[in-house]
Structure formats: C-alpha cells, structure tokens
Amino acid sequence: MPNLYPLVRPVLRRLPAEAARELTLRALEAGLGRFMVDNAGEAPDPPILAQRLWGLDFSNPVGLAAGYDKDARVSEAMRRFGFGFVEIGTVTPRPQPGNSKPRVFRLEEDQAIVNRMGFNSGGLDAVIDRLSRRSPSGIVGVNLGKNRDTSDAVTDYAEGIRRAAGLADYLVVNISSPNTPGLRDLQRRANLESLLHPLLRAREESGCRVPLLVKIAPDLTLAERADIASVALDTGIDGLVVSNTTVDRPTGLISRNARQAGGLSGRPLFGPSTALLADMYRLTQGQLPLIGVGGVASASDAYAKIRAGACLVQLYTALVFSGPRLVSWIKKSLADLLRADGFASISEAVGSGHVGAAAARPTRSTERAA
Ligand SMILES: Cc1cc2nc3c(=O)[nH]c(=O)nc-3n(C[C@H](O)[C@H](O)[C@H](O)COP(=O)(O)O)c2cc1C
C-alpha cells in the first residue's frame, strides 16, 4: 500500500490547525488511514513491549492522548496506526461548542501547540452511541469532563461514569484542562476528596469495576502534588494521567504564537511534565500506575517517561508534526533501548530511573471484574 502521508503533509500544514485536524478526522472516518502509514503500522508489536495492567493486555505502551478524537469518531483507525491504546474525549454530558475560533495554534519553531478549545464536545449521547457500535478490538479509554455552565461538577462526572463505565476499558476524570474556568481548583485536596468519593460510588453503582484515573496539570506546587498523591492512595483510584497542558510559558520559546492564551503542549512540556511524573511516582511510592504524557516525540522521550515512573505513555502534539509513522518508529526503537539496557520486559523498566529503584513497579494493578 503506498504511503501518501508525505504528499498530504504540506497541505495540512498550510491549513489552520483546527481545520487540518477536522480534515484528518474525516479522512480517517472515510477509511483513508491505511494510505497514511507503511505496513509497519499493522506489524505485531515486539513482545518486550507487552504489559498487563488493570487486567488489560497492552501490546505496547504508546497511546493516543485525549483531545484528538474527542467524540470517539476514529478510535479503530488510530489503533491501526499502531497505538497500544486510544483515549477519546474529553466528552461533556451535554454537547457544547467550546471557545470561539481560532483556538488552536501551532508553534512550528518550538514543536509545540497552544490550545484553548474549552471542551468542545458532541456530548455523551453521541459518544455512547459510537462506542456501543465499535468493534471490541483495541483498548479505549474515555476522558470525562464537565459542562462549562454546570456548577456541581460531581453531577457531570458521575453521569459520565455511569454511562460510559460499561463501554470503556478505563475512565479518566479530567480536572486539569486550563480552558474551563475553575476546573483546576478541583485538584485541591478538599475538593478532590469531595469529588472522588462520590465518583467511586458512581462507579460501584454502575456494576462495572472499570479502572478510574485522574488527569492532573503540570502547574502544581510541591504541596499540591503531595496532596494529590495522598488522596489518590487513600481513595483507591486506579492511576494518574500526568499531565495535561501547561499555562506556563517556559523561557526560550521563539514562535509568535507562544503568547496566545491557552495550554501549551509538545516539546517545551516534556521537561515539566516528566518532572511532575517523577514526583508523583516518588510520592505514591510506585504503588499507582501512571500514564506519562507531555512532549513525547521519540523513543528516548518515551523511555525517559517510563524510567521516571510511567507504565504507559501518550502523545498528541508530536503526531501533528511528525505524522502517524512516528508510532511505529517509537515502538521499534523503544524495544531496542529496553534490550540494550538488559530489561526483559517493559514493566521491569518502570521507575528504573529513580535512585534505589530495584523492582520498583506498581503493585496495584487492579483486576477488572464485571
Ligand atoms: C488541540 C489539543 C486538544 C486537547 N484536548 C484535550 C482534552 O479534550 N482533554 C484532555 O484531557 N487533554 C487534552 N489535550 C491535552 C493532551 O491530551 C495532552 O495531555 C497534552 O497535549 C500533552 O501531550 P503532548 O505534548 O503529546 O501533546 C489537548 C491537547 C491539544 C494539543
């Protein structure tokens, strides 16, 4: 099959970022994804990358981060690009348009994106409908949000949990988007406790013990990080997604769009999000599975996240700059890096970058019971 992506790429780059995203979504919906990668996308994953977490078998640790397939339109096509798992969403209970356009900006020179989409979402009805029609292959997580005009966050997240629990392989409570006013306040200790207890009850009531994770922001003080770690361990949630985009603007950004308001992702986020990941691994004593996300653009980036404590990694921005072949490249080179360091399996490498990290790996890989 010819790989047409090199021809398509210049066209996409000339379009505004959000129009390019919509065009790729439509192309994938039309089944054109198979023309965008070499056959490598469909090759079996090296066994060294396989891992069992929460009772789920991940054939590789590289996932698609939330925000590209917000409405569960193309999860199967993304799996065929070689992703080990796909996170759809953020989905809000009711449809909402998000912020006014333009609201996504490429920072070409910095290999970064600033977005202030503001949870544009087709709503749970549409997502549930698509998820219930999807083929059972592939691991799909559902990232849940709240509507902008909802004052009681618990109601919205609980609705998402109740309705998506039976259709998702895992759920993510997203309290870290910088583009919904007040959302990040839910990360504060007292707010987080008051949120998570009823959400865990909502999961119980759903009858599906689907893994429940929380996605956090990189812009947290050390005290806030410690609070989140202790609440995560005390409540018994199943993991953390580390991290969302940053409102910070690290020094050294050169693109004109760096001054746009919103969350920054891509290469400049790699350092801060990996430092947060290492903190969360240390603060949870390696007991909680962590998904590392932020600036992953190569196998060595993915490996650094794993050594900092991530069982799984995700990416989004690098896909925009490098295209779908990136997934196969990362997987192949990651397997080489693991072998070169003498690891027999990826789970042995999780957290291995920490001093005194012998056999440091998550112990709470909850088995999923229906
Ligand atoms: C355009 C865009 C939209 C995003 N939308 C969401 C979202 O709806 N929910 C969410 O949890 N994260 C969202 N994110 C954040 C990503 O999931 C990820 O956490 C962040 O971009 C860092 O990863 P990256 O550097 O690989 O892009 C979005 C990111 C981008 C660039």
Side-chain angles (χ1 to χ4, degrees):
M1 198 90 58
N3 178 4
L4 300 182
Y5 185 75
L7 301 175
V8 175
R9 189 170 178 268
V11 179
L12 293 175
R13 294 300 260 281
R14 241 172 265 137
L15 293 172
E18 195 169 351
R21 169 179 171 271
E22 184 56 33
L23 188 65
T24 57
L25 282 166
R26 286 189 188 194
L28 293 174
E29 282 178 316
L32 299 178
R34 62 184 183 281
F35 300 113
M36 301 300 155
V37 278
D38 309 313
N39 292 336
E42 302 239 31
D45 290 326
I48 196 169
L49 297 184
Q51 204 176 176
R52 191 169 172 81
L53 277 170
W54 307 300
L56 299 167
D57 287 313
F58 291 81
S59 66
N60 76 73
V62 185
L64 175 69
Y68 175 68
D69 189 10
K70 284 179 185 270
D71 295 315
R73 293 161 61 183
V74 297
S75 62
E76 181 59 22
M78 297 313 282
R79 186 184 68 80
R80 279 196 230 106
F81 282 166
F83 282 112
F85 62 111
V86 174
E87 190 168 310
I88 65 112
T90 295
V91 55
T92 56
R94 285 167 287 112
Q96 64 176 30
N99 292 325
S100 56
K101 295 179 187 173
R103 53 192 179 177
V104 187
F105 306 89
R106 293 189 203 96
L107 282 62
E108 293 278 348
E109 299 86 344
D110 300 303
Q111 299 279 295
I113 288 177
V114 169
N115 94 82
R116 51 170 180 269
M117 296 190 102
F119 286 174
N120 53 310
S121 172
L124 268 176
D125 283 347
V127 163
I128 296 297
D129 181 51
R130 290 196 190 100
L131 287 177
S132 48
R133 283 187 281 117
R134 86 176 166 99
S135 73
S137 59
I139 295 175
V140 175
V142 177
N143 180 305
L144 301 167
K146 72 177 257 309
N147 281 104
R148 191 184 175 97
D149 59 2
T150 301
S151 50
D152 177 19
V154 172
T155 315
D156 275 12
Y157 288 110
E159 181 178 348
I161 290 170
R162 271 193 299 272
R163 297 190 61 196
L167 295 166
D169 292 303
Y170 70 91
L171 296 174
V172 177
V173 178
N174 178 12
I175 49 173
S176 50
S177 164
N179 303 310
T180 295
L183 194 79
R184 286 183 164 196
D185 294 343
L186 295 170
Q187 297 176 111
R188 300 223 181 96
R189 178 184 267 273
N191 295 344
L192 191 57
E193 282 169 341
S194 327
L195 178 70
L196 290 182
H197 287 297
L199 296 192
L200 287 163
R201 272 199 304 279
R203 177 181 67 176
E204 223 51 53
E205 284 157 20
S206 78
C208 293
R209 211 195 173 287
V210 55
L212 189 72
L213 287 76
V214 172
K215 184 165 180 178
I216 62 174
D219 313 308
L220 297 165
T221 64
L222 194 54
E224 289 168 333
R225 295 171 191 208
D227 281 348
I228 291 173
S230 92
V231 174
L233 291 175
D234 290 349
T235 52
I237 59 162
D238 299 287
L240 294 170
V241 184
V242 186
S243 73
N244 215 311
T245 56
T246 178
V247 292
D248 195 17
R249 293 293 180 270
T251 48
L253 294 177
I254 52 175
S255 308
R256 197 171 33 95
N257 281 332
R259 283 193 291 274
Q260 289 288 348
L264 177 74
S265 58
R267 188 189 284 162
L269 180 60
F270 179 78
S273 62
T274 308
L276 173 63
L277 177 69
D279 278 350
M280 298 317 290
Y281 182 81
R282 185 175 48 78
L283 290 164
T284 55
Q285 297 105 43
Q287 291 180 42
L288 207 57
L290 305 176
I291 301 183
V293 49
V296 172
S298 68
S300 58
D301 295 339
Y303 193 38
K305 296 262 187 207
I306 290 162
R307 287 171 48 81
C311 301
L312 303 168
V313 300
Q314 292 177 323
L315 57 88
Y316 179 175
T317 301
L319 201 62
V320 172
F321 291 105
S322 304
R325 267 199 302 181
L326 179 67
V327 185
S328 306
W329 290 340
I330 290 182
K331 290 191 297 184
K332 190 194 164 304
S333 306
L334 180 60
D336 292 343
L337 288 169
L338 289 164
R339 280 188 216 104
D341 280 350
F343 292 114
S345 87
I346 189 158
S347 43
E348 288 178 6
V350 173
S352 60
H354 290 257
V355 178
R361 49 194 269 215
T363 51
R364 196 193 292 166
S365 55
T366 34
E367 289 299 311
R368 190 174 170 188

